[in-house]
Amino acid sequence: MSKYNNLWLYIAESGLDKTILSYEDIEKIAGVPVDHSFLTYKKELLEYGYKVGKISLKDKIIEFVKE
């Protein structure tokens, strides 16, 4: 099980075409902080029918888009 599994489930269960979450929201949902390893784990989201869109380091938000 991935450390971001709770986040992937949250996004998939939302059913939304696009979701934008702050790093803080992601940490609350996933239970772990967003760190550099997120770039490796983000590929797992494809199994749930979503992909990571824009990542804003400045605004500390990540966009998730339905495939």
Side-chain angles (χ1 to χ4, degrees):
M1 180 189 293
S2 166
K3 70 179 187 177
Y4 290 105
N5 195 57
N6 288 339
L7 176 61
W8 307 153
L9 290 172
Y10 175 87
I11 293 166
E13 290 173 358
S14 76
L16 299 172
D17 290 337
K18 182 167 89 171
T19 303
I20 298 174
L21 296 172
S22 68
Y23 286 14
E24 186 177 316
D25 290 336
I26 292 169
E27 290 177 22
K28 288 178 185 173
I29 295 165
V32 295
V34 177
D35 57 21
H36 187 64
S37 72
F38 181 83
L39 298 174
T40 301
Y41 285 98
K42 72 178 189 172
K43 298 172 195 163
E44 299 172 344
L45 187 55
L46 294 171
E47 297 174 25
Y48 295 87
Y50 286 81
K51 66 180 182 178
V52 173
K54 293 182 180 181
I55 299 175
S56 173
L57 299 175
K58 178 185 173 192
D59 297 326
K60 296 187 177 184
I61 58 170
I62 300 177
E63 175 187 78
F64 301 93
V65 182
K66 193 171 192 173
E67 283 272 278

